[in-house]
């Protein structure tokens, strides 16, 4: 079994660490993007409901 030189071992560990950090960053960014999209959709839904209620109140129609 060949022995790795210390420089090569540290280089391999550095590459593994960089790959791990990049994967963790991608997962965190994906989760953040999903959360932001959900919050935007929720705010948009609340806005649409409020606009419909205001329109119904102004026109005097009952809400469906």
């Amino acid at each position: 079994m060949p022995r790795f030189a210390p420089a090569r071992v540290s280089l391999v560990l550095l590459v593994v660490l960089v790959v791990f950090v990049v994967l963790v960053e991608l997962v965190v960014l994906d989760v953040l993007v999903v959360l932001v999209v959900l919050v935007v959709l929720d705010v948009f839904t609340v806005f649409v409901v409020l606009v419909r209620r205001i329109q119904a109140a102004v026109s005097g129609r009952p809400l469906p």
Side-chain angles (χ1 to χ4, degrees), residues 13-29:
L13 287 177
L14 182 65
V15 169
V16 169
L17 184 65
V18 167
V19 169
F20 180 73
V21 168
V22 167
L23 288 176
V24 168
E25 288 288 327
L26 285 176
V27 169
V28 168
L29 284 177

Side-chain angles (χ1 to χ4, degrees), residues 47-63:
F47 179 73
V48 167
V49 168
L50 284 177
V51 167
R52 285 185 178 169
R53 285 180 184 261
I54 290 171
Q55 285 177 346
V58 167
S59 65
R61 291 182 286 119
L63 284 173

Side-chain angles (χ1 to χ4, degrees), residues 21-40:
V21 168
V22 167
L23 288 176
V24 168
E25 288 288 327
L26 285 176
V27 169
V28 168
L29 284 177
D30 284 346
V31 169
L32 285 178
V33 166
V34 168
L35 285 177
V36 167
V37 167
L38 287 176
V39 167
V40 168

